[in-house]
Amino acid sequence: MAVSQRDQTLSLLAAANNHGDLAVKLSSLKQAKDILLAADLSLLSAELFPYLVELQSSHEPLVRKTLVETIEEISLKTMEYSPVLMPVLLTLLNDDDSVVARQTIVAGTHIFCKALDELALQFQRHGLVERWLEEIWSWMIKFKDTVFQIALEAKSVGPRLLAIKFMETCVLLFMPDNDSRGKITEVGRNAHMFNIIRVAGGHPVLDSVALQSEANRCFLVLLDLLSSSGGLPGSITISVVNSKQHVWQQCARLIRSDVCM
């Protein structure tokens, strides 16, 4: 069965990479995705994922966007087999096509939230963090840093709006005593939502103090963006102003308690 799935998926990925018709490319990639999501990736991922990664060089923006969606679905379903796919997200964050860049930020945000939750869950249940998850998290840190740069510097409004939204998500995730669990679940698509309190007692990968410091930094950046709103596009200003009220309340409490330095 695995051999048949492998051959079929190889044929579909070859069509997605090489066929001249866009409709055939997209249909082939979507069929390949369905097979991969249903298959035992422990038998197929090492052989097939490199062909999937090649699609990041496609000249068709819709193919690259569909690739990002495929990586997201695979990573959220079977994260342990997807470290080789993470560099694709980092590459496509700076895609020339705004739609592809926006989709990459959305997908990366979902995976970022899922990785955080899995890091906390693994250590809580087993007292360790597996190497594949550490590798994914190292890519997620690079993703975070790149998205922060997009929030500050991007000329394209669409990706910048989503980058600012990602910064808001980091504030919500990394603030202590977070009462916004349901709100963030919509962003992260997680059954178990990360809360900084879960790693406050110590964690081999996640430093709760450093994460809270990151939240403070994000909040101050949002304040700086708001103070300089006169030089920003209107939609950017609206995005900052409309950041969820509980974010500002959480950060205000930290400022009053001298946590924000």
Side-chain angles (χ1 to χ4, degrees), residues 193-232:
M193 179 44 53
F194 177 80
N195 190 307
I196 195 69
I197 296 174
R198 293 168 63 185
V199 299
H203 191 279
V205 176
L206 301 175
D207 183 333
S208 63
V209 174
L211 293 178
Q212 290 176 56
S213 177
E214 189 81 89
N216 298 333
R217 183 169 74 91
C218 290
F219 175 64
L220 293 176
V221 169
L222 290 172
L223 285 180
D224 286 342
L225 287 172
L226 187 59
S227 66
S228 62
S229 60
L232 296 173

Side-chain angles (χ1 to χ4, degrees), residues 26-80:
L26 293 173
S27 175
S28 298
L29 177 53
K30 290 174 182 177
Q31 291 179 65
K33 176 193 71 175
D34 291 341
I35 294 173
L36 289 170
L37 288 173
D40 181 353
L41 289 182
S42 65
L43 301 176
L44 298 177
S45 60
E47 185 172 4
L48 297 179
F49 278 7
Y51 295 95
L52 194 61
V53 169
E54 285 182 16
L55 290 167
Q56 68 183 305
S57 301
S58 172
H59 297 300
E60 300 286 353
L62 278 175
V63 172
R64 300 196 301 275
K65 178 178 180 289
T66 304
L67 170 62
V68 171
E69 294 168 347
T70 300
I71 289 173
E72 177 186 355
E73 290 193 45
I74 290 173
S75 297
L76 293 180
K77 183 176 186 291
T78 52
M79 183 171 281
E80 61 267 36

Side-chain angles (χ1 to χ4, degrees), residues 25-208:
K25 286 177 176 287
L26 293 173
S27 175
S28 298
L29 177 53
K30 290 174 182 177
Q31 291 179 65
K33 176 193 71 175
D34 291 341
I35 294 173
L36 289 170
L37 288 173
D40 181 353
L41 289 182
S42 65
L43 301 176
L44 298 177
S45 60
E47 185 172 4
L48 297 179
F49 278 7
Y51 295 95
L52 194 61
V53 169
E54 285 182 16
L55 290 167
Q56 68 183 305
S57 301
S58 172
H59 297 300
E60 300 286 353
L62 278 175
V63 172
R64 300 196 301 275
K65 178 178 180 289
T66 304
L67 170 62
V68 171
E69 294 168 347
T70 300
I71 289 173
E72 177 186 355
E73 290 193 45
I74 290 173
S75 297
L76 293 180
K77 183 176 186 291
T78 52
M79 183 171 281
E80 61 267 36
Y81 301 117
S82 62
V84 70
L85 302 177
M86 295 300 101
V88 177
L89 294 180
L90 207 63
T91 297
L92 295 182
L93 276 175
N94 295 308
D95 197 275
D96 292 334
D97 188 274
S98 177
V99 172
V100 177
R102 294 201 309 269
Q103 189 63 47
T104 306
I105 295 173
V106 170
T109 299
H110 294 158
I111 297 169
F112 184 89
C113 294
K114 177 69 172 181
L116 268 173
D117 188 54
E118 188 65 29
L119 280 163
L121 201 60
Q122 269 199 10
F123 187 65
Q124 178 183 338
R125 290 180 174 177
H126 308 295
L128 54 83
V129 173
E130 295 181 73
R131 185 177 298 275
W132 62 263
L133 186 54
E134 289 192 54
E135 185 178 351
I136 287 176
W137 183 242
S138 70
W139 284 109
M140 288 295 96
I141 292 173
K142 294 175 183 178
F143 171 86
K144 170 183 66 66
D145 293 342
T146 303
V147 174
F148 284 3
Q149 287 301 113
I150 292 172
L152 295 174
E153 301 173 359
K155 295 180 180 179
S156 182
V157 172
R160 194 173 187 189
L161 286 170
L162 287 172
I164 291 171
K165 191 70 175 177
F166 175 74
M167 295 188 76
E168 179 189 328
T169 297
C170 287
V171 174
L172 291 171
L173 287 168
F174 300 155
M175 279 290 181
D177 301 321
N178 191 344
D179 60 356
S180 309
R181 183 177 303 269
K183 299 288 186 180
I184 308 174
T185 302
E186 297 173 4
V187 177
R189 294 186 181 179
N190 291 326
H192 305 279
M193 179 44 53
F194 177 80
N195 190 307
I196 195 69
I197 296 174
R198 293 168 63 185
V199 299
H203 191 279
V205 176
L206 301 175
D207 183 333
S208 63

